[in-house]
Amino acid sequence: MRRNGPIALLFHTLVVSFVLAPLVLVCLVAFTAQDTLSLPFAGASLRWFKAVFDHPDFLQSFYNSLQLALLSATLSVCIALPAGLALGRYRFPGRDALNGLFLSPLIIPSLVLGVAFMRMFSVMGISGSFFWLVIAHTVVITPYVLRMVLAAVMGIDRSSEQAAQSLGAGPWTVFRRITLPAILPGLSGGWMLAFINSFDELTMSIFVTTPATVTLPVRMYMYATESIDPMMASVSALMILITGGAMLILDRLYGLDRILIGERV
């Protein structure tokens, strides 16, 4: 195996440091006891973490984001599972076009999607509905689940399914006892990745949320336009913790390298 030379190692170290430095600084500032965002600080304190839990708007926005991410990620799995099985196993007219349609939210800017959803909801008279907010998030995060399902489906050895069918097992039995367990890691990883993206979504959500359905990222953006204090760093640190924990679970379930590299369909 070819090893990286000192220049490559130095380059990788600089890139990783550049990416992690802002996150580390935010987490450090979250523990300040001062009233301003500043480093270094005199002493560590949990003052601003306590302030987050004493702020009802942030708590409600957190619950909104959590509920939204759970529902939209689950709905995305329900859509991506049959779509992934069809696209990964069968060749039919319009397959490539259908695959492109499902994956198109990945190449459309979130700003454009947000404006389009806002206009559509306004014309339909459904602005402010939490249900349609879930639908909007589902559209954005379904491609992530679909890619994971496609990778899992393409990696299945179908000899076990064929053997079960030859022994008299029906389609539902084969799916439930062979196919589903085989693709479950990819399905679980896709759900987790969709959950993370929905929970952290800001750009599109700004256009489709209302005062009753404000998500945590939108609440943070609104608060930052009015006041910059260490409480924002505390909220950011909590979000980093939640996202990092979810990514760790995702890595244990499926492997981040397979998500980032993917497999050809």
Side-chain angles (χ1 to χ4, degrees):
M1 180 181 294
R2 183 178 180 182
R3 296 185 177 181
N4 291 325
I7 297 179
L9 291 176
L10 177 61
F11 174 77
H12 294 158
T13 301
L14 291 175
V15 171
V16 172
S17 300
F18 179 78
V19 172
L20 293 182
L23 304 181
V24 173
L25 290 176
V26 166
C27 292
L28 289 176
V29 172
F31 290 94
T32 183
Q34 302 176 12
D35 295 328
T36 58
L37 293 167
S38 60
L39 278 175
F41 49 82
S45 172
L46 297 177
R47 167 190 176 187
W48 294 107
F49 287 98
K50 182 177 181 298
V52 173
F53 292 98
D54 291 338
H55 204 293
D57 290 341
F58 275 97
L59 292 179
Q60 183 59 50
S61 296
F62 171 79
Y63 293 137
N64 289 342
S65 289
L66 184 62
Q67 183 180 5
L68 177 61
L70 289 172
L71 292 175
S72 57
T74 303
L75 183 57
S76 296
V77 168
C78 295
I79 297 173
L81 178 56
L85 289 172
L87 294 172
R89 289 191 166 182
Y90 304 103
R91 297 295 183 268
F92 51 87
R95 174 183 178 273
D96 293 337
L98 185 60
N99 186 43
L101 177 63
F102 275 113
L103 300 180
S104 60
L106 292 176
I107 61 175
I108 300 177
S110 297
L111 179 64
V112 176
L113 284 174
V115 173
F117 279 128
M118 179 183 66
R119 179 59 180 166
M120 184 183 72
F121 293 166
S122 177
V123 171
M124 296 175 62
I126 55 176
S127 300
S129 171
F130 186 80
F131 170 79
W132 288 104
L133 180 60
V134 172
I135 298 300
H137 272 239
T138 301
V139 171
V140 173
I141 64 178
T142 295
Y144 299 99
V145 187
L146 182 59
R147 289 301 302 172
M148 298 285 288
V149 173
L150 283 172
V153 169
M154 297 297 291
I156 292 179
D157 182 3
R158 302 196 62 181
S159 59
S160 299
E161 296 177 330
Q162 295 169 354
Q165 291 173 351
S166 67
L167 293 174
W172 170 246
T173 301
V174 173
F175 173 78
R176 180 172 55 88
R177 304 193 64 176
I178 298 177
T179 307
L180 184 59
I183 64 175
L184 188 59
L187 204 60
S188 302
W191 185 93
M192 187 66 68
L193 191 60
F195 176 87
I196 294 172
N197 279 274
S198 177
F199 191 86
D200 292 341
E201 168 60 38
L202 170 63
T203 307
M204 185 269 293
S205 298
I206 290 178
F207 293 92
V208 294
T209 57
T210 62
T213 60
V214 173
T215 61
L216 184 58
V218 175
R219 178 70 65 186
M220 293 174 63
Y221 175 80
M222 294 168 57
Y223 187 86
T225 60
E226 301 173 357
S227 175
I228 299 294
D229 59 35
M231 189 172 73
M232 292 302 302
S234 299
V235 177
S236 300
L238 291 174
M239 291 191 67
I240 291 172
L241 177 63
I242 293 173
T243 304
M247 293 297 290
L248 181 61
I249 296 174
L250 180 61
D251 182 54
R252 291 290 181 260
L253 286 175
Y254 198 66
L256 291 178
D257 53 342
R258 297 187 65 181
I259 299 172
L260 296 176
I261 298 174
E263 296 182 24
R264 293 184 64 86
V265 179

